[in-house]
Amino acid sequence: RKSCSKMSDAARLARDDLTHTIAPHLDRHLVIPLLEFLKAKKIYPEEDLLRGQLELLQGTNMIDYASEIHVKLAGVAEDFKPRRTEVVKKLKEGTLATKVLTDIIEKRELVLALREEGNYTMDHLTEKYKVPRGTLNSLYQHAKFLYECGNYSFAADYLANYRLLSDDQEKNFQALWGKLAAEILMQNWNTASEDLKTLRKAIDTRDKTVDPSQTLQQRTWLIHWSLFVFFNHPNGRNGIIDLFFKERYLNTIQTSCPHILRYLTTAVITNKRRRSVLTDLVRVIQQESYTYRDSITEFLEDLYVSFDFEAAQRKLRECETVLVNDFFLVSCREEFITNARLFVFETYCRIHKCIDLGMLAGKLGMDQEAAERWIVDLIRNARLDAKIDSANNHIIMGTKHPSIYQQVIDKTKGLSDRSSVLASDLAKYLQNGSVPTPSTNTGNNNNNNNSKQHHHQHHHQQQQQQHQQPK
């Protein structure tokens, strides 16, 4: 029985793990930290994870790392010497081919002065510093090679300078993906956050010129890559809500990656200042429940749709297990549980005027004494209109009417985004002389219907392109 129980627990953990779902949308270098995390959690056999790591590394130039994994897996070192010799040779060739330009790049004060003067261009560098024009393309290739070697610092630096010097829009776009990945892997969250914004603007700008299925794919990649930033940056919980609730990105989530609702739900629950989006989130969770659901999304459904407090309590216990075994959410556990209990408390209080303290403690998953202390602190800190009747072990709730100002805010939220999309559609119409397909509507239900109409259309294309990665 104990063995069966352990197998059952392992199977449940594997079922809740989203690594296999997320990985196809990530660069292979970004998948490696996820596998390291899973090894520590022992959700899968270590041998399977080592094989996965080795397969990923074989597509890179990190020869020494691959050799270490092979030793752990097979007990003996595979002969990586020929491959290593080839990598070292190409590295030296790239360094030599770009030396005249990288010498300038490494002089920070000179680069800063040239940029201030408006002279940090290939024309100026060619004329004054005799930099051959072909060197810029060599820098791009060398930066990519360094990235594959795991030298993310130099790769990010060279790609940033390439983008300043190049007028090749396509390569600039690809360089931005590479720089974002490098900054994520170096855990430079502030820089990565800025690169994420720049990349989002670039994708939105290209939306007018590239195939819609390609734009959908790029937004899907961006959503997945952004998880690294949003769950590590100090302001990430606001950032993920701002981005994922934009109509274009919410449509992308509903069309190609509904599993992202786990992360959006966690961000909303752990962000006390963004309760205004809760109603919209619950609506989306309901709409997508047939394609994706887990303990975190079901917690909100049980609490705000079914008002089933017993089921919500069970789901809350399951949420804790999901959180501690999720690479992106592991640091959110305590904050999530605290805020989720607050959600239960607030919802229960809206329904009942007089609440038995023991019963509420049970619904919160706490003993009565701890629940009373928690509720006293909650009432004091949140200034709730309530009092505790200790003699009868009751909580007496006052009547609180919604603020008229908050009602106005709720009714008008998203108006700016919808107006922007309408203006963009109008601009396309004026430019092309054809009536554009509406990408927005004034009603939330219409927005969802529009998204659903495109769901099946893009699904097959998305499956075909899912294995591709940014260059």
Side-chain angles (χ1 to χ4, degrees):
R1 287 182 180 178
K2 188 176 288 186
S3 175
C4 290
S5 176
K6 286 184 178 179
M7 287 180 65
S8 177
D9 290 343
R12 187 162 52 250
L13 291 174
R15 179 201 65 192
D16 291 335
D17 176 46
L18 292 179
T19 304
H20 61 288
T21 306
I22 291 173
H25 305 289
L26 299 176
D27 179 84
R28 63 178 62 239
H29 290 254
L30 296 176
V31 180
I32 293 173
L34 273 63
L35 297 185
E36 289 289 350
F37 176 82
L38 290 177
K39 280 200 293 185
K41 292 297 178 180
K42 302 185 184 303
I43 296 175
Y44 302 101
E46 184 176 6
E47 183 178 345
D48 292 348
L49 294 173
L50 287 172
R51 290 186 186 281
Q53 278 187 296
L54 188 60
E55 184 179 345
L56 286 171
L57 292 169
Q58 285 175 345
T60 73
N61 295 326
M62 295 189 285
I63 308 302
D64 294 337
Y65 192 4
S67 179
E68 291 176 14
I69 297 297
H70 191 274
V71 170
K72 291 179 182 179
L73 193 59
V76 293
E78 184 179 335
D79 187 11
F80 284 95
K81 190 173 181 181
R83 176 81 191 283
R84 194 177 191 283
T85 301
E86 180 186 353
V87 169
V88 171
K89 178 184 176 183
K90 288 185 177 180
L91 187 60
K92 288 180 179 179
E93 290 174 353
T95 302
L96 185 63
T98 58
K99 189 176 187 307
V100 63
L101 184 52
T102 55
D103 284 347
I104 295 173
I105 290 172
E106 289 167 10
K107 296 175 182 176
R108 307 295 182 187
E109 293 182 0
L110 173 61
V111 171
L112 183 61
L114 289 172
R115 290 183 64 183
E116 289 177 350
E117 296 168 2
N119 288 326
Y120 195 53
T121 64
M122 277 308 297
D123 288 339
H124 183 78
L125 296 182
T126 300
E127 181 181 346
K128 186 170 182 179
Y129 297 96
K130 310 302 180 187
V131 178
R133 289 192 173 275
T135 309
L136 186 58
N137 186 60
S138 298
L139 180 71
Y140 176 79
Q141 298 298 333
H142 187 49
K144 287 179 64 178
F145 193 84
L146 287 170
Y147 176 83
E148 295 299 341
C149 291
N151 194 337
Y152 305 123
S153 178
F154 278 100
D157 190 21
Y158 292 166
L159 288 172
N161 280 275
Y162 174 84
R163 295 189 70 250
L164 291 172
L165 294 168
S166 174
D167 55 5
D168 187 326
Q169 296 301 317
E170 184 59 32
K171 282 188 176 179
N172 268 337
F173 184 65
Q174 298 298 335
L176 188 51
W177 282 104
K179 184 175 184 300
L180 173 60
E183 299 293 355
I184 289 172
L185 291 161
M186 292 189 293
Q187 300 182 17
N188 293 335
W189 304 123
N190 288 331
T191 307
S193 179
E194 292 303 316
D195 288 343
L196 192 66
K197 294 175 185 176
T198 305
L199 185 55
R200 180 181 67 80
K201 292 177 182 176
I203 292 173
D204 291 345
T205 301
R206 288 162 56 91
D207 187 16
K208 303 173 184 177
T209 58
V210 301
D211 185 81
S213 62
Q214 187 177 349
T215 301
L216 176 67
Q217 184 186 52
Q218 290 166 352
R219 288 198 175 114
T220 303
W221 286 338
L222 183 71
I223 286 168
H224 287 81
W225 292 34
S226 72
L227 297 177
F228 290 92
V229 181
F230 288 141
F231 286 102
N232 286 283
H233 191 276
N235 195 39
R237 311 283 174 80
N238 284 319
I240 191 172
I241 293 171
D242 290 338
L243 178 62
F244 289 3
F245 272 106
K246 288 185 181 297
E247 185 175 4
R248 291 170 176 173
Y249 286 86
L250 189 56
N251 285 344
T252 301
I253 291 170
Q254 292 181 275
T255 302
S256 62
C257 50
H259 54 273
I260 294 295
L261 289 174
R262 169 187 291 187
Y263 303 100
L264 182 56
T265 302
T266 302
V268 172
I269 290 177
T270 56
N271 195 327
K272 296 178 181 179
R273 297 182 178 180
R274 303 301 295 272
R275 296 288 182 84
S276 60
V277 300
L278 189 58
T279 303
D280 290 338
L281 175 61
V282 172
R283 173 179 56 79
V284 174
I285 288 174
Q286 281 185 274
Q287 292 166 352
E288 299 304 318
S289 61
Y290 74 97
T291 57
Y292 179 79
R293 63 195 316 166
D294 62 22
S295 300
I296 294 175
T297 61
E298 287 178 338
F299 168 74
L300 284 190
E301 275 194 290
D302 289 337
L303 189 58
Y304 289 107
V305 180
S306 306
F307 295 99
D308 187 340
F309 293 95
E310 299 296 334
Q313 182 186 346
R314 290 194 299 271
K315 286 297 184 296
L316 186 55
R317 287 195 292 267
E318 294 175 11
C319 285
E320 192 165 2
T321 303
V322 172
L323 291 165
V324 297
N325 289 290
D326 190 294
F327 175 85
F328 299 104
L329 305 181
V330 63
S331 62
C332 303
R333 185 183 66 85
E334 291 186 10
E335 194 175 357
F336 181 95
I337 298 301
T338 300
N339 282 280
R341 283 176 176 163
L342 179 59
F343 278 38
V344 174
F345 176 73
E346 289 179 342
T347 306
Y348 199 79
C349 291
R350 288 193 192 103
I351 299 173
H352 302 85
K353 184 175 178 64
C354 182
I355 306 166
D356 181 82
L357 188 55
M359 182 183 294
L360 183 60
K363 296 190 181 301
L364 294 172
M366 306 168 71
D367 62 74
Q368 185 167 325
E369 185 178 349
E372 184 173 356
R373 287 197 303 269
W374 182 78
I375 293 168
V376 167
D377 290 339
L378 185 64
I379 292 172
R380 182 185 299 121
N381 295 333
R383 298 177 182 177
L384 296 176
D385 184 11
K387 60 182 179 180
I388 294 180
D389 181 356
S390 298
N392 297 314
N393 282 330
H394 286 166
I395 303 170
I396 311 298
M397 299 301 302
T399 303
K400 183 178 180 181
H401 299 286
S403 164
I404 185 64
Y405 302 107
Q406 187 60 47
Q407 291 183 52
V408 172
I409 291 171
D410 291 343
K411 292 292 184 182
T412 57
K413 66 185 175 184
L415 185 59
S416 176
D417 284 342
R418 292 198 296 271
S419 300
S420 176
V421 174
L422 285 171
S424 176
D425 287 344
L426 180 60
K428 290 180 184 178
Y429 167 69
L430 294 174
Q431 182 178 359
N432 301 328
S434 60
V435 179
T437 302
S439 59
T440 185
N441 292 291
T442 55
N444 286 332
N445 291 334
N446 291 337
N447 288 341
N448 179 61
N449 292 336
N450 186 42
S451 171
K452 293 298 180 184
Q453 288 170 3
H454 293 284
H455 178 87
H456 297 292
Q457 179 182 351
H458 289 303
H459 183 69
H460 180 66
Q461 293 174 321
Q462 187 260 341
Q463 281 187 324
Q464 289 181 323
Q465 298 172 345
Q466 194 177 42
H467 69 281
Q468 300 175 6
Q469 296 296 331
K471 297 178 182 178

